[in-house]
Amino acid sequence: LMRAYSACAKPEVAHKVFDKTPERNIVIYNVMIRSYVNNHSFTNAISIYKDMAVSSVAPDHYTLPCILKACSASNDLKLGLQIHCTALKTGLGSTLYTGNGLISMYGKFGDFAGASWVLDEMPYKDVISWNSLIAGYSQNARFEEALKVCERMEFLSLRPDSATMASLLPAVTNTSMENIVLVEKIFSNMSKKELAAWNVMISVYSKNSMSSEAVRIYSEMVASGVEPDVMTIASILPACGDLSAASLGKRIHEYVDVKGFTQNLSVGNALVDMYAKCGCLKEARDVFEAMAIRDVISWTSMISAYGKSGEGKEAVDLFSKMVASGHVPDSVAFVSILSACSHAGLLSEGRRLYKSMIEEYRIVPGLEHFSCMVDLLGRAGDVDEAYDHIKRMPMKPNEKIWGALLNACHVYNNVDIGVIAADRLFQLSPRESGYYVLLSNMYTKGRRWKDASLVRLAMKRNGIKKLPGVSNVEVDNVVHAFLAGDRYHPESDVIYEELEKLLGKIREAGYVPITEAALHDVEEEDKENHLGVHSEKLAIVFALMNTQPGLPIRITKNLRVCEDCHIAVKFISDITQRRITVRDTNRFHHFENGNCSCRDYW
């Protein structure tokens, strides 16, 4: 009867039955403890265990694993150590389930000496024993040690299973390529690949900026007949957003609707984020409005979507609605709204919100907030004030802050402060080519050819190469990548022929290439040719060739869109009557009928 109430999520009713039981033996106590543990009422489970000890009822090999789980979940290390002593005294410490429970507990608290000692002392170990140690290392972000345990398993001829893969999940973010290769090896050697293993691989790729691989492994999983679950969806949607793979994202959305995952908060937030990253503001807002439950993450994702598309006023309105709905904006929410103000040039609104964050919400500004304010002031042309803001910071400015100032100096040609910002950036990130290029271009705009040459000479002398521009476009559910000057694509010859025709048409319509930022030591015609083969132009031409007239085109670029391409795409959108969305490292540009959503404020 107690088990039945527990299964119905009624542990409190099970407790009433427990209280009326005249003779309580170890079975009765075990059922009551397990009832609370299975329903995540860990403090009550511990109380029952203590009552059992007072009643002089000795624990058995069913009691200890269960109560150890409660100790881990309630952060009660002291009781956990007492239980370990009890296990040793009663001879239960070497049993499989108790040993596994002890390994999990010590791992949870970061005591890996204790966890390893228990593992070594166990006369019999199973895969769960090793998985428990792997999970402990992963939960404490010690991925290297977790993978070494996997290697020990293989050395002992123990084959990792799906649970092994799942144990690695907490530590897969921003890891090394070497570690990713090891996880791939574990996955490929598995005789039976269950859903949990596929989820880990998708998550590994997605969380390490390997979005194409995440989409590939997801497609393999679906083709093999394994059905995605909530975790799969929450992991693959960010990868779709990173690639602007809106078609795949929409198919996944349809699957979500069929499976009834729509009201899952994590899935809802992932859908909003995916559509936002693809530049599909309407679809993102539709998902947002349909969500039965929204948290601060939901609101922040939508605010960020409007901000990156230059819709600053809509972002501010939504922020006000979030506050009115009773949600308290956190530090991340303020980063999103301040960034939105920056992209839209809402200087006074940004100042007001920054002041409100500090005075009303008592949030101490962090580096991200200072970066937003420097960007806000710099974009508005207040470069001197932006620099003063940096000088008043209570902490050391980071690369992003100096980068925002250098960007502003480049736009407004403030060479004096720009040189100071560039010097700080060269100290913080001496191998980052983008800062050298910005400084060189700033000199070029000011017709300081000698200084520009010295910067490029320094790049060459230090072996620093400019990061090649790469643009992605999704056509017929396949993501195609183009590099600047790329001739590796199977349709390259036709693409270049069509590009030349298109450039001719937009020149007739009034397009004049902006060659100021191109290399100054070449002829004007060569500069035009150099600009003409930028990756986004190639991707757009490919999309025009392979999609139906009138359909929107979505491009993702790994670098900031150059001024020439920005003007060229405005002309292309007008001539072809296509809506073209380009997402670069900073924001979205929605081109339509010869205009851009950024209103040239970028």
Side-chain angles (χ1 to χ4, degrees), residues 385-577:
E385 188 180 348
Y387 183 39
D388 288 339
H389 198 76
I390 292 175
K391 289 190 282 188
R392 291 196 303 270
M393 284 176 60
M395 73 276 283
K396 195 173 181 180
N398 64 3
E399 185 181 341
K400 193 171 183 180
I401 291 169
W402 287 114
L405 184 64
L406 180 59
N407 236 344
C409 292
H410 173 257
V411 172
Y412 292 99
N413 209 28
N414 190 322
V415 178
D416 293 337
I417 294 177
V419 170
I420 294 170
D423 183 58
R424 298 293 191 280
L425 287 164
F426 296 155
Q427 294 174 31
L428 290 168
S429 187
R431 306 297 301 175
E432 175 54 56
S433 63
Y435 304 134
Y436 289 90
V437 173
L438 265 180
L439 180 61
S440 174
N441 288 347
M442 187 165 60
Y443 282 137
T444 302
K445 281 175 70 176
R447 309 189 76 79
R448 291 172 59 171
W449 311 123
K450 186 177 179 181
D451 290 325
S453 291
L454 288 172
V455 173
R456 293 188 180 274
L457 186 63
M459 286 181 70
K460 189 174 182 180
R461 185 172 59 246
N462 296 323
I464 299 168
K465 294 183 178 180
K466 183 179 176 183
L467 187 68
V470 181
S471 294
N472 294 316
V473 61
E474 184 190 30
V475 174
D476 294 333
N477 302 320
V478 177
V479 176
H480 298 260
F482 293 88
L483 277 76
D486 182 14
R487 285 197 176 270
Y488 293 104
H489 195 278
E491 298 182 45
S492 282
D493 290 342
V494 184
I495 291 170
Y496 275 87
E497 286 177 16
E498 292 300 318
L499 174 60
E500 194 56 44
K501 293 177 186 176
L502 184 63
L503 291 174
K505 289 179 181 178
I506 63 175
R507 284 193 191 96
E508 290 176 6
Y511 162 69
V512 178
I514 296 179
T515 59
E516 284 180 350
L519 298 175
H520 69 265
D521 56 348
V522 295
E523 297 297 324
E524 284 296 314
E525 186 178 345
D526 288 336
K527 290 182 186 179
E528 288 191 30
N529 291 335
H530 174 75
L531 293 167
V533 294
H534 277 189
S535 62
E536 55 267 58
K537 291 189 179 100
L538 297 173
I540 289 169
V541 170
F542 177 76
L544 289 169
M545 288 166 47
N546 291 280
T547 58
Q548 294 296 318
L551 288 179
I553 295 170
R554 297 182 182 87
I555 309 292
T556 304
K557 188 175 182 183
N558 67 329
L559 301 175
R560 179 179 173 272
V561 174
C562 76
E563 194 173 353
D564 175 74
C565 285
H566 190 264
I567 292 173
V569 179
K570 285 200 286 187
F571 277 99
I572 293 169
S573 72
D574 190 33
I575 284 175
T576 62
Q577 284 300 291

Side-chain angles (χ1 to χ4, degrees), residues 53-284:
V54 170
S55 303
S56 300
V57 177
D60 63 7
H61 59 283
Y62 289 111
T63 318
L64 298 187
C66 202
I67 199 64
L68 283 167
K69 184 177 179 181
C71 292
S72 297
S74 58
N75 293 318
D76 195 339
L77 177 59
K78 185 178 178 181
L79 179 60
L81 294 171
Q82 291 172 2
I83 290 169
H84 192 180
C85 291
T86 301
L88 293 172
K89 288 176 184 176
T90 56
L92 296 171
S94 59
T95 61
L96 179 63
Y97 296 123
T98 301
N100 289 348
L102 286 166
I103 294 168
S104 292
M105 183 199 72
Y106 281 121
K108 163 75 185 300
F109 293 112
D111 183 356
F112 296 108
S116 298
W117 182 86
V118 172
L119 182 70
D120 292 339
E121 290 296 310
M122 289 170 65
Y124 174 71
K125 312 170 185 68
D126 62 3
V127 176
I128 295 172
S129 312
W130 295 92
N131 288 349
S132 300
L133 185 57
I134 292 167
Y137 279 124
S138 293
Q139 288 163 6
N140 287 275
R142 294 173 64 170
F143 201 25
E144 306 285 343
E145 290 95 330
L147 285 172
K148 284 178 182 176
V149 176
C150 293
E151 290 176 332
R152 280 179 65 193
M153 286 178 69
E154 291 197 55
F155 179 76
L156 295 169
S157 300
L158 281 168
R159 190 180 289 274
D161 59 8
S162 291
T164 313
M165 295 285 288
S167 299
L168 292 168
L169 195 55
V172 299
T173 305
N174 296 327
T175 188
S176 68
M177 195 63 215
E178 184 182 4
N179 288 339
I180 293 170
V181 170
L182 282 171
V183 178
E184 288 174 333
K185 182 182 174 184
I186 294 169
F187 179 73
S188 62
N189 288 339
M190 292 175 66
S191 55
K192 184 181 179 183
K193 297 179 175 68
E194 296 178 350
L195 178 60
W198 289 100
N199 283 347
V200 172
M201 284 312 305
I202 293 168
S203 187
V204 165
Y205 289 136
S206 185
K207 291 182 177 180
N208 287 280
S209 303
M210 299 173 71
S211 301
S212 297
E213 287 81 357
V215 168
R216 175 185 59 77
I217 206 78
Y218 171 81
S219 300
E220 284 182 20
M221 185 192 82
V222 173
S224 69
V226 178
E227 284 200 2
D229 64 359
V230 168
M231 183 176 286
T232 320
I233 302 303
S235 298
I236 191 59
L237 284 174
C240 295
D242 288 340
L243 295 171
S244 287
S247 299
L248 176 58
K250 286 177 180 178
R251 291 206 310 276
I252 294 171
H253 189 178
E254 291 169 2
Y255 175 84
V256 165
D257 287 338
V258 170
K259 288 295 181 180
F261 296 158
T262 312
Q263 294 309 317
N264 180 281
L265 184 59
S266 296
V267 171
N269 286 343
L271 280 168
V272 171
D273 183 62
M274 181 274 294
Y275 279 125
K277 285 180 177 176
C278 291
C280 304
L281 283 179
K282 181 184 180 300
E283 289 84 351

Side-chain angles (χ1 to χ4, degrees), residues 296 299-300 303 317-329 333:
V296 175
W299 289 91
T300 302
I303 290 166
D317 287 345
L318 198 61
F319 184 85
S320 300
K321 288 179 181 177
M322 178 182 75
V323 173
S325 70
H327 288 86
V328 179

